[in-house]
Amino acid sequence: MSGSRAELLRLALEVAEVAGAFVRDERPDDLQPSGTKTSDTDVLTVMDTRAEALIVGAIMAARPHDGVLGEEDGLRPGDSGLTWVIDPIDGTVNYLYGVGPYAVSVAVVEGQPDPAEWVQVAGCVYDPVADRRYYASAGDGAFRDGVALPGPRPVELGQALIGTGFGYLPGRRRRQAQVLTRLLPRVRDIRRIGCASLDLCYVAAGLLDGYYERGLNPWDHAAAGLIARESGARVSGPRNRLPGAEMVVAADPFLHAHLVELLAEADAFGDD
């Protein structure tokens, strides 16, 4: 691996903060969708594209041999063995409407930029609205603005505050709503924040007891999954497989086992 974990994390923090300040401070008052992603409700804004170009430019200036996988422009291969996995605005709909949190996520992984194959090295999730930086490097713990994150609590399922999110395709949304009706009576409550990377960071910070979501892309959890894991959370896919598009589940190891079992009972891991 070219570059120390500390150097890579420092770059992740720098570019995430610069891009976050850009999308926060330059957000147009009359921001309008410029296109769509997977459906008419998943908007692609001009700011997404501009923020990603800003991040990629900064990374390439510092590390021209690394690869980049971005939400907007896809994969740009490198030859260093490292790939930066970036989400310029996670929580695009929140950002578009000016409601709720959004984040910039920047991670660097070793190997293929695929959750089934990668080794997460370092990552930062920056919340520009609250001006908070969540970050971690492999084996070094997880932090928020210099303070170690406590990780999630080992609570009983019935006392657990659980975060989740919904996809944009109608069929998946119907299925996720059905799963939700099975879970809601069995937990303390459900939160739908609208930003997957911050959901995982909130688990790391002990603000949520657990989190699950189906249909996440690699950039949604490349940084935040590492942060949650380094805080002490267990992060997995269904039935203890690796996290990925099929499902991401994060919680204290005690709660994680019960949450995965409940999700299986609710048929959350079946086809959409």
Side-chain angles (χ1 to χ4, degrees):
M1 182 177 70
S2 173
S4 70
R5 291 194 303 271
E7 291 170 340
L8 295 167
L9 178 58
R10 186 160 47 248
L11 181 57
L13 280 159
E14 288 174 0
V15 298
E17 186 168 355
V18 168
F22 168 75
V23 297
R24 179 191 63 215
D25 298 342
E26 299 299 322
R27 182 186 182 276
D29 292 335
D30 59 347
L31 186 64
Q32 296 292 328
S34 64
T36 62
K37 295 178 184 177
T38 55
S39 77
D40 288 341
T41 54
D42 189 8
V43 294
L44 169 61
T45 68
V46 171
M47 297 298 285
D48 265 307
T49 305
R50 293 176 65 189
E52 183 163 310
L54 182 66
I55 295 168
V56 173
I59 290 171
M60 289 294 97
R63 300 186 57 85
H65 297 289
D66 291 354
V68 177
L69 174 63
E71 181 182 13
E72 306 305 328
D73 289 335
L75 178 63
R76 173 179 175 168
D79 57 17
S80 69
L82 295 175
T83 301
W84 295 82
V85 184
I86 60 177
D87 191 343
I89 307 176
D90 184 21
T92 310
V93 175
N94 285 356
Y95 181 74
L96 178 74
Y97 282 83
V99 59
Y102 56 88
V104 178
S105 177
V106 179
V108 58
V109 304
E110 193 169 14
Q112 294 297 317
D114 180 335
E117 300 183 46
W118 68 27
V119 176
Q120 293 153 294
V121 178
C124 171
V125 175
Y126 177 52
D127 176 350
V129 177
D131 191 28
R132 289 175 179 160
R133 300 146 196 84
Y134 300 85
Y135 52 94
S137 56
D140 298 323
F143 300 85
R144 181 180 62 201
D145 294 326
V147 178
L149 292 171
R153 303 172 300 156
V155 300
E156 297 286 346
L157 187 63
Q159 298 299 309
L161 182 64
I162 304 296
T164 192
F166 307 117
Y168 291 101
L169 298 175
R172 174 163 290 172
R173 289 163 88 82
R174 282 194 294 271
R175 179 62 174 273
Q176 289 170 323
Q178 292 167 358
V179 170
L180 189 63
T181 62
R182 302 281 296 275
L183 263 66
L184 191 54
R186 302 279 299 277
V187 300
R188 180 189 293 274
D189 210 345
I190 296 287
R191 290 292 178 269
R192 198 281 200 239
I193 295 165
C195 182
S197 60
L198 285 176
D199 278 319
L200 284 161
C201 290
Y202 290 173
V203 172
L207 303 176
L208 289 173
D209 297 311
Y211 165 75
Y212 76 93
E213 187 165 351
R214 183 175 174 85
L216 294 187
N217 293 298
W219 44 82
D220 293 319
H221 61 102
L226 174 64
I227 293 164
R229 192 173 72 240
E230 285 292 322
S231 78
R234 179 169 176 77
V235 183
S236 81
R239 302 181 181 89
N240 298 319
R241 295 198 289 271
L242 292 171
E246 190 176 11
M247 185 67 73
V248 175
V249 185
D252 170 85
F254 171 79
L255 176 62
H256 183 279
H258 296 284
L259 182 56
V260 168
E261 182 179 358
L262 179 56
L263 288 167
E265 291 176 7
D267 198 25
F269 305 142
D271 294 333
D272 292 327

